Amino acid sequence: MQTTSFIKRFSARTVLTATAFTASLLFTNLSNAATPLKVGYSDWPGWVAWQVAIDKGWFKEAGVDVQFEWFDYVASMDAFAAGKIDGVTVTNGDALVTGSGGAKNVMILLTDYSNGNDMIVAKQGIKSLKDLKGKKIGLETGFVEHLLLLNGLEKIGMKESDVTIVNTKTNETPQALASGDLSAIGAWQPNSGEAMSRVPGAKPIYTSADEPGLIYDVLTVSPTSLSSRKADWKKVIKVWDKVVMYINDPKTQPDAVKIMAARVGIKPEAYLPLLKGTKLLSLEEGKKVFVKAPGFKSLYGSSKISDDFNVKYGVYKKPMDIQKAIDPSLLAK
């Protein structure tokens, strides 16, 4: 996980007159209006999807000035934590991680949930999670694949102690499985796919499609930006609905996939399977997940499960306030 230092800045002037304060607010609002919203996005189908709107000029059509900046995933969270961008695309669990480090953020939009792209991949001969009892599994502890494995084991009455977890960086899992020391690995695409190509007979035995809502992906923004630019963020959210429709429409999907594939530098035919492992959510579908309820069908419930996991495995020490971390108000018509 990333570590970021935070510097508290105190004003030398402790008193402002009412007139000066009002003028300061007016200047700030005018400055904000003239500055584009900055959003960090990275290589995940539910976030690469924004490229469609970027290339089509839909933000300009919607009357909002927004600048998307491309990052490696962890680097995007670091940029947000450093205040270099106004919003960032992350998993709901990582939104909590970022907030725990001091970079407060509010989840305002569900882009998708992982629908098979996150996998537990096992060697030939291992047909189910039960077959992993007493065996070694390589995955990055404290990350979503760790949570995915525990979720699967719990369903069949097994515990973490029934297997041996070998802490392995996600981008190194394909090599680790091929080395012969591990019986399975936990990884997301394209790492999971590479592992299967390296090891003949390897296949997924448990995926995020087996527990929809375990891994939600969101757009989360700074509370300050949300407060001062709420109308602009609402326009951004409305553009997202247009993106989902364009990608899901059989008539326009080929063009959308071509745009997305170009962003990450692969051929459209290679990108399509990755897209199918991601369930993009329209605004109407997202509203149903923004309800306050326990369990994986709710963003609140899923985030509470992620929060418990993060605290248990020492990602951070104290539980986060889930109610403050989520704001569904921009979805209202």
Side-chain angles (χ1 to χ4, degrees), residues 5 13 78 92 126 132 207 233 273 282 296 322 332:
S5 60
R13 296 183 65 182
D78 287 340
N92 58 322
I126 298 176
L132 289 176
T207 79
W233 283 117
S282 67
F296 293 115
I322 304 299

Side-chain angles (χ1 to χ4, degrees), residues 35-308:
T35 305
L37 293 173
K38 293 183 179 180
V39 178
Y41 70 133
S42 53
D43 192 358
W44 173 260
W47 306 329
V48 178
W50 288 109
Q51 195 66 41
V52 175
I54 296 167
D55 285 14
K56 295 292 183 183
W58 289 343
F59 293 109
K60 186 176 181 179
E61 287 181 13
V64 59
D65 190 3
V66 56
Q67 179 180 321
F68 277 75
E69 299 185 12
W70 185 256
F71 292 93
D72 287 334
Y73 182 52
V74 173
S76 72
M77 291 187 283
D78 287 340
F80 180 82
K84 295 179 180 179
I85 51 179
D86 303 292
V88 64
T89 56
V90 292
T91 67
N92 58 322
D94 283 337
L96 299 177
V97 173
T98 302
S100 73
K104 300 302 180 185
N105 61 93
V106 184
M107 294 178 253
I108 62 171
L109 172 70
L110 273 167
T111 56
D112 64 276
Y113 62 77
S114 179
N115 194 34
N117 278 342
D118 293 85
M119 307 176 184
I120 304 300
V121 176
K123 286 185 173 181
Q124 188 173 21
I126 298 176
K127 299 179 180 179
S128 70
L129 290 176
K130 288 184 178 180
D131 296 333
L132 289 176
K133 188 169 185 177
K135 293 182 170 59
K136 294 181 180 179
I137 306 167
L139 53 77
E140 203 157 358
T141 56
F143 277 56
V144 290
E145 259 53 33
H146 191 180
L147 177 58
L148 177 67
L149 174 66
L150 297 183
N151 173 265
L153 293 177
E154 183 180 2
K155 283 184 176 181
I156 59 173
M158 288 176 64
K159 300 178 181 179
E160 185 174 9
S161 57
D162 290 327
V163 299
T164 299
I165 293 178
V166 179
N167 190 19
T168 309
K169 290 184 178 180
T170 302
N171 63 349
E172 296 175 0
T173 51
Q175 303 93 302
L177 187 64
S179 71
D181 293 333
L182 303 173
S183 296
I185 55 98
W188 55 80
Q189 289 281 23
N191 300 289
S192 50
E194 183 185 344
M196 287 186 279
S197 67
R198 281 176 177 247
V199 182
K203 65 178 183 180
I205 57 172
Y206 193 73
T207 79
S208 50
D210 294 309
E211 189 66 85
L214 177 73
I215 307 167
Y216 283 113
D217 299 306
V218 302
L219 170 62
T220 194
V221 304
S222 77
T224 301
S225 182
L226 178 60
S227 176
S228 62
R229 306 285 295 275
K230 199 162 188 175
D232 285 337
W233 283 117
K234 193 161 187 174
K235 290 176 182 177
V236 171
I237 285 175
K238 286 185 177 179
V239 169
W240 173 254
D241 218 27
K242 192 172 182 178
V243 168
V244 174
M245 287 188 289
Y246 195 81
I247 293 174
N248 287 341
D249 188 335
K251 295 180 181 177
T252 51
Q253 188 178 82
D255 182 51
V257 172
K258 183 180 179 181
I259 291 170
M260 295 169 72
R263 169 66 270 187
V264 299
I266 65 175
K267 294 181 178 180
E269 57 267 28
Y271 197 81
L272 189 57
L274 306 183
L275 180 60
K276 291 186 180 299
T278 307
K279 170 59 179 174
L280 299 179
L281 297 171
S282 67
L283 296 189
E284 199 59 39
E285 290 170 323
K287 284 181 184 179
K288 297 175 182 177
V289 183
F290 265 97
V291 295
K292 295 181 180 180
F296 293 115
K297 291 185 178 180
S298 160
L299 179 60
Y300 291 87
S302 175
S303 297
K304 177 63 170 62
I305 292 168
S306 292
D307 186 55
D308 292 343

